[in-house]
Amino acid sequence: MIFAAILPGCSQKRDQRSENLVYWSSNNQNEIEFANAMVSEWNRRHPDQPIHTQPVPEGQSSEEVILAAVVGKTTPDIYSNMWQGDVEGYARAGAIVPLDTLPGFNEFLAERCDSAVIAEVTSSDGHIYQIPWKINPIMLIYNVKEMQSIGFARAPVTYSQFLEAGKRFQEDRDGDGYVDRWIGYANVKVTWWLRLFDFYPFYLAASNGGHLIQNNKVVFNNQYAVEVFRFLRTLYKKNYFTRERLDTRSDVFFAGDIASKFTSPWEITRIERYKSQNFDYGFSQIPTPDSHRGNVYTYADPKNMVIFSTTKNPLLAWQFIKFMISKENDLRLLEMTHQLPRRRNLFRDAFFAEFFARNPRMIPFAKQAKYVRGPDLSPVLKEIFDIISQEYEACVIYGVKSPEKAIQDAARAARLLLM
Amino acid sequence: MKKILFYILLIFGAVAFTYPFFWMISASFAPETEIGKLVFLPSKFLLYSYRQVFAKIPIGRAFLNSLLVSASVTTGVLIFGSMIGYSLSRLRFRGRDLIFYIIIFTMTLPFQITLIPQYILMVKFHWVDTYLALIVPHLMNAFAILIFRQHFQTIPQVLIDAARIDGCNEFQIIFRVLWPNSIPALVTVGIITFMTSWNDVLWPLIVIRDDKLMTMPQLVALFAVGGRAESQLGVKLAAATLLAAPIVLAYLFFQKYFIQSMATTGLKE
Amino acid sequence: MTPYLLVSPYILFFLVFVAFPVIFSAVLTLHRWNIIAPMKFVGLHNFIRLFQDRMFFRSLLNTMIFLAVHIPLQIIVALFFAEMLNQKIKFRKFFRAAYFLPVVVSGVVVTMLWQQLYGFDSGLLNRLLIHLGLPKIGWLSNPRIAMPSIALVATWKNVGLYIVLFLVGLQSVPEQQYEAARLEGATHWQQFWFVTFPSINPTIFMVLVLSTIGGFSLFIEPYIMTGGGPLNSTLSTILYIYKEGFFYYHLGYATTVGFAFAVLILLVVVLQRKFIEKEYA
């Protein structure tokens, strides 16, 4: 029982350096280094107002840890890895500071982002509770040699091209009667956030950045969603994509078991580390319907910065944030983490030109950065994606529902939820 | 002739129940690419997977957490169980029967109903992400109380009277008279409580979100489900092997006690 | 004085961790709460939602499927091996220890291990099937087979315990009864049915009750192996409560599901005892 008395002291979560601000970065190694660099530089310049940084405590997901911190009122002052979709819920609960009430914020934001992005991050009450930091656009990564071997000099970009590639690539190499090579792969589990990396990018690409929910109304029951479902369903029906879970096996992309998958720039570091000598890969857009016109959009996977309401000095926190997302430090973000800052004209800005010249692998992403969307603003976004995910599994993976019916059912369930 | 058939079946059974573990250990030492073809032994033994486990997750810390939590819970259950069991079996006081029925009632109560409110209590007490949340709600175990009560009823009253005459208070009676005469019950309750506490995953998943405080099964379970293993199979199996190791080692040496404890518990149901 | 001192910790514990939660549980079912916003009273809304909730009823169906496979398999396999161990054979302790091994190992390990064995492409089971010239099976990817596959794992894990329990029961049958039966010309089967079976009835009943309770608590296997899929065929009710309560933080609704489920469990357990115990008492 003596343990019980001592232990709360040992696991002191409310680590109060009450004078100094606390900044939580993500627990990705590169980002930790970036955060440390930012904080050292800031502390050097402002020795009287030091900031302390630590990575968000490790857990199953940082979203969970943040929620626990909000509940336990142990939140830091600044957090930089807030998923855009979570903000609305926290805003409504009063857990984060409305940034547009801080002096200079609106001007700063207008300079950093274009109006579409600003609209994206504005909450339903008209205030802005987050500032866009970085994005990791979802694109298609493909094995150059394998694509060439089936006659594709570059990756397929339309649905029919992709299906054709799927047909050519499909093979049963070990002769056991089962296909063991597929043109691509998407995780088949029903977890809601997985759809952010398959269904959602396809939907955005097909609809030129369309919404799922707008003004608290369901708008995703349209032809684009149906087309996306139909296309993906065909992939699974013809076994160009497999229903088995390949993520429990050793890396299938390197092994050539799949010729492509959907990923974002962070994968570059990983691939460079683990790939074999002559493995060549490229990035391409998300495939679109044959009838598609215009720019190809995708999902941004945006992470933004917020200031929690528990802070004692929001103005100072805002100064630090401004510092972290200045042009110079955005460049450092690129260099240290290979993730794109979400600022307008990233690719055309001369300031970053030299970086992209040195890192040509990032160029497709920089070009894509102009045509990305973050998740719609809704406090029940997760539930909406869960509903879509359930219908996705029934229609796309297991083919027990038609795409029209699946979207209809999803829309109905979503409407019930939004009432 | 029939005997040989029996032996074949028995051996087949033994293989069926042990080979999968053997495969798991083998795979944890095998190169990643071989695992898909592995049957018995890998072509070479690598420590790569294990190194990865230790690099990616604080499994050593989780082991200590599990040890601390399970030991604390077991100690608590033994002490409190004895206290209550003794009171119910040997002392007379008003409300004794009421408490007995309450205890029976709690045994029948499905945990599904108290799960969420207990979590909310942890939140209100600020015990989330602390050891308290893992230990305190499990300090009392109706089952242990009943076992002790039943066992203490068999201890001759003379021993207790003698101790009282010597001037012992009730606590001293429990520890100096009852416990030495209840070793089997203590061992049984101890092993069962320790194992149940060690293997519990649902409750830690609910109240602990911070890596540093996770129990070992919880950490490995999250490792299996989450992305930190980066789809490396050998690494996940290595983590599983590490998780299995402590109990299996204890089992190899003390299997008699394990089997007996769980068997008597089952019978007493 | 002292008896009250001794039991006071329990009283305190009971009030805080049992009585209060049960009462609060009932209260919570009438509210909506996501832990960061204040609680909102919604009356019977949660219950209305529950009665229309397809996932909830699916989870109940899944539990029944699980029990339908797990319980008979458990009893038959356990009895089978116990019967054999009951014969005069050597190395009994060794076999017993081997069969009991999965019982002590953590469910997490067992689940992770079997997830690999069940792998469609390169899992051991399918490799074995191919070797024998049989088609592969979608152990965890076929919606109709996934839950039985999980039931198989649960059986594999626990049967050692029941082998031991049956063994105890079998060994308590006096040899004379078998002698008497054999003298009357009873075949092996008849010996089993008229001598063995009645003696181990209590044990069978106990296996039934324990397995049922285990089935209602099913969580870690679907959590790790399938996440509840495919097509929600392995969604156990506990997993559903966990998701609703601790993933979406629909705390009011999750409590409602838990409440309803607990009532159901109590009903089943009570019915089991009344019905079956009466039959064989």
Side-chain angles (χ1 to χ4, degrees), chain A residues 342-361:
Chain A
R342 196 172 195 186
R343 44 167 67 240
R344 47 157 109 215
N345 286 327
L346 179 69
F347 186 53
R348 304 220 193 277
D349 196 325
F351 192 80
F352 302 102
E354 195 240 336
F355 171 81
F356 288 116
R358 268 186 298 121
N359 295 277
R361 290 246 184 246

Side-chain angles (χ1 to χ4, degrees), chain A residues 98-112:
Chain A
L99 299 174
D100 55 329
T101 59
L102 297 171
F105 177 82
N106 290 318
E107 297 76 20
F108 186 90
L109 184 62
E111 202 224 316
R112 181 179 175 84

